Amino acid sequence: NDTPDRLIEQVRSRLVQKSTVTKDLSSSSVGRSLRPRVKRNALSPVMGGAEPKKKKQSVQKNFKKSTIPKKRLGLKNLGNTCFMNSVLQSLGNIEEFSNILTALPSLEHQLNTSKEAKTAINHLSSDGIIVTEELKKVLRALKEGVEKSAISPDLLFHAIWKVVPRFRGYQQQDAHEFLRYMLDRLHTELLLLLPGRFRNDRVDEVLRGASLTKSQSVVTSVFGGTLQSEVTCLSCRTTSNKQDPFLDLSVDIPQQFTGPVRKSKDREGSQTCHIHDCLKKFVETEELADSERFFCNACKSKQPSTKKFLIRRLPNVLCLHVKRFRWTTYARTKLDNHIEFPLNGLDMSGYLLKNLSGTRLSSGGTSLYDLAAVIVHHGTGTGSGHYTAFATNNKAWFHRSE
């Protein structure tokens, strides 16, 4: 029932009018909000009605031209073999190494035709195992395999079992130790089965005309560099220099970035460590402990001394190992500090010997390095975790879990 002055009817009519106006405003605003204004302005200012279509077509054409087919092949985990798979994925993406190794002649043929080579290999392994041949098969499969498939490196794994007893079984292992053992084995096999005088177009492309000596192989020509250690007696200031070859450099995280062992949540606000900080610590002068005193020929006795490392010859491919595991008397811990590093143009000139005729750059005549692969250990413990590899392929980066 309405009031005598029809108040309810007036309220009802006003509500109906307000609802009609709201619908009209909302319907007109929906059409404008659906247009990607931000994207259109981000491309270029558009004038007129037909111009946006032309801009859209040109963007699509450029996108098609930049699309490059990429190989995405995995390696089967044979039982805690992530340490091996991450190394194989990284080596497969280092073209300077994989292209040369896969182009080498058959070492099995050399073994069957040369009695000296067969005798030398039998001294290394009673089964006559050639790890280099098995690695070649895996690297070729990674290059020529079917897209998005998985490869089983079981033959290589069992070959390593036979030549390196410590890797037998399915225990978790250290990826850096595996890389060193395998490179050392490859170097020995290539010296015995493939003379240093062997050359082809791919070898020449990496070495850029540099000669291979009798003690050099494809491994040392790619990863090999030379360090010079300088030991100085603090009593008479006599200096002794020694040159040592290296296949990789193990660098420490400076103490100012580590401090007490912290959990990941506690890292916020802490200083960020750069790879140059680790390299500077590597070449800084350190005083040797009393147990490591240097025998000075001038003083004819062991004296307090200092030691310093500098690079005398840079390798063609530089391998850096960041030491994240801290060993103490009572505990084993892992440093989870974030390490910054450039993807392109890592300058190593600051760590070279200066003004010496024996100082050498890489075969390319440069001290700059571009990142090709990174092996990462996931986990907080020293006896457990998982290894993965980040590697570049056709100018794109991939995270390879296996």
Side-chain angles (χ1 to χ4, degrees):
N1 297 327
D2 202 349
T3 59
D5 54 356
R6 303 181 64 181
L7 179 62
I8 296 178
E9 182 65 24
Q10 294 178 10
V11 171
R12 183 185 295 112
S13 61
R14 290 185 180 181
L15 290 175
V16 171
Q17 292 177 358
K18 185 176 182 181
S19 175
T20 304
V21 173
T22 304
K23 288 182 180 179
D24 292 338
L25 291 175
S26 62
S27 62
S28 62
S29 62
V30 167
R32 292 195 296 267
S33 64
L34 289 179
R35 294 183 182 179
R37 286 191 172 186
V38 175
K39 292 184 178 180
R40 184 183 66 184
N41 294 336
L43 292 175
S44 62
V46 180
M47 300 298 291
E51 188 66 15
K53 294 184 179 180
K54 292 183 180 180
K55 290 292 182 180
K56 187 176 182 180
Q57 291 174 358
S58 63
V59 172
Q60 291 177 350
K61 289 180 180 179
N62 292 336
F63 176 78
K64 291 181 179 179
K65 289 181 180 179
S66 62
T67 302
I68 303 174
K70 304 174 182 65
K71 284 287 184 181
R72 288 169 287 188
L73 289 91
L75 293 170
K76 293 182 179 180
N77 194 317
L78 307 177
N80 287 330
T81 57
C82 58
F83 69 94
M84 178 182 69
N85 292 348
S86 60
V87 171
L88 296 179
Q89 290 282 15
S90 299
L91 292 178
N93 282 273
I94 299 176
E95 297 180 354
E96 291 83 355
F97 176 75
S98 61
N99 288 347
I100 292 180
L101 197 70
T102 54
L104 294 179
S106 174
L107 299 184
E108 294 178 348
H109 175 74
Q110 181 73 11
L111 183 63
N112 295 329
T113 56
S114 174
K115 294 182 178 180
E116 296 179 357
K118 188 172 183 179
T119 303
I121 287 294
N122 288 335
H123 280 299
L124 293 176
S125 174
S126 58
D127 298 327
I129 298 296
I130 306 178
V131 177
T132 307
E133 282 297 313
E134 299 303 330
L135 179 59
K136 282 170 58 178
K137 294 175 185 178
V138 174
L139 295 182
R140 283 175 179 168
L142 287 175
K143 284 187 175 183
E144 303 168 3
V146 180
E147 177 78 2
K148 295 184 179 180
S149 62
I151 301 166
S152 177
D154 53 340
L155 295 179
L156 173 62
F157 190 41
H158 289 103
I160 293 173
W161 275 17
K162 295 179 180 180
V163 300
V164 188
R166 69 165 299 163
F167 290 112
R168 292 176 184 173
Y170 298 96
Q171 298 83 7
Q172 296 192 10
Q173 303 286 351
D174 185 83
H176 177 245
E177 291 182 3
F178 173 77
L179 174 63
R180 288 304 308 270
Y181 273 107
M182 188 173 65
L183 290 182
D184 289 341
R185 176 72 185 194
L186 297 181
H187 172 66
T188 303
E189 290 180 357
L190 291 172
L191 284 182
L192 294 175
L193 300 177
L194 200 62
R197 62 180 179 273
F198 170 79
R199 302 297 290 268
N200 63 17
D201 293 339
R202 290 185 178 179
V203 175
D204 288 333
E205 182 179 353
V206 173
L207 300 184
R208 300 179 185 270
S211 59
L212 280 175
T213 63
K214 292 182 179 180
S215 62
Q216 282 187 304
S217 67
V218 171
V219 175
T220 55
S221 66
V222 174
F223 297 100
T226 305
L227 272 179
Q228 179 166 307
S229 61
E230 182 181 285
V231 180
T232 303
C233 175
L234 295 180
S235 297
C236 65
R237 296 297 173 180
T238 300
T239 300
S240 175
N241 296 326
K242 182 183 178 182
Q243 297 182 24
D244 296 303
F246 71 87
L247 294 178
D248 60 56
L249 297 178
S250 294
V251 296
D252 291 291
I253 301 176
Q255 185 70 28
Q256 66 264 28
F257 299 104
T258 59
V261 179
R262 303 183 304 272
K263 296 181 179 179
S264 299
K265 296 180 180 179
D266 300 331
R267 291 186 301 170
E268 297 181 2
S270 60
Q271 288 181 299
T272 301
C273 181
H274 197 278
I275 191 63
H276 279 296
D277 295 315
C278 302
L279 290 169
K280 289 176 182 177
K281 180 174 177 55
F282 180 77
V283 299
E284 72 180 7
T285 302
E286 63 172 331
E287 186 170 351
L288 298 178
D290 292 339
S291 59
E292 301 175 342
R293 284 193 173 188
F294 165 67
F295 184 86
C296 179
N297 292 326
C299 299
K300 302 300 181 182
S301 62
K302 290 186 177 181
Q303 297 291 337
S305 55
T306 60
K307 189 175 184 179
K308 183 178 182 179
F309 283 111
L310 285 172
I311 300 176
R312 190 174 184 89
R313 183 175 67 84
L314 285 170
N316 291 310
V317 175
L318 177 64
C319 181
L320 295 177
H321 166 233
V322 180
K323 295 190 285 186
R324 288 189 174 274
F325 297 121
R326 176 187 289 178
W327 307 84
T328 62
T329 307
Y330 306 101
R332 301 175 181 179
T333 57
K334 177 187 174 183
L335 302 175
D336 59 354
N337 298 73
H338 174 71
I339 308 295
E340 287 189 353
F341 49 86
L343 296 180
N344 299 287
L346 175 64
D347 191 359
M348 295 293 294
S349 61
Y351 317 106
L352 288 169
L353 283 168
K354 305 297 183 183
N355 301 323
L356 287 179
S357 59
T359 303
R360 294 288 183 271
L361 301 176
S362 64
S363 296
T366 180
S367 61
L368 301 178
Y369 290 88
D370 297 332
L371 192 65
V374 181
I375 298 175
V376 180
H377 177 266
H378 304 270
T380 57
T382 58
S384 62
H386 181 60
Y387 283 103
T388 64
F390 292 84
T392 178
N393 190 340
N394 289 331
K395 299 181 180 181
W397 280 92
F398 292 91
H399 183 201
R400 304 182 186 275
S401 180
E402 291 293 350

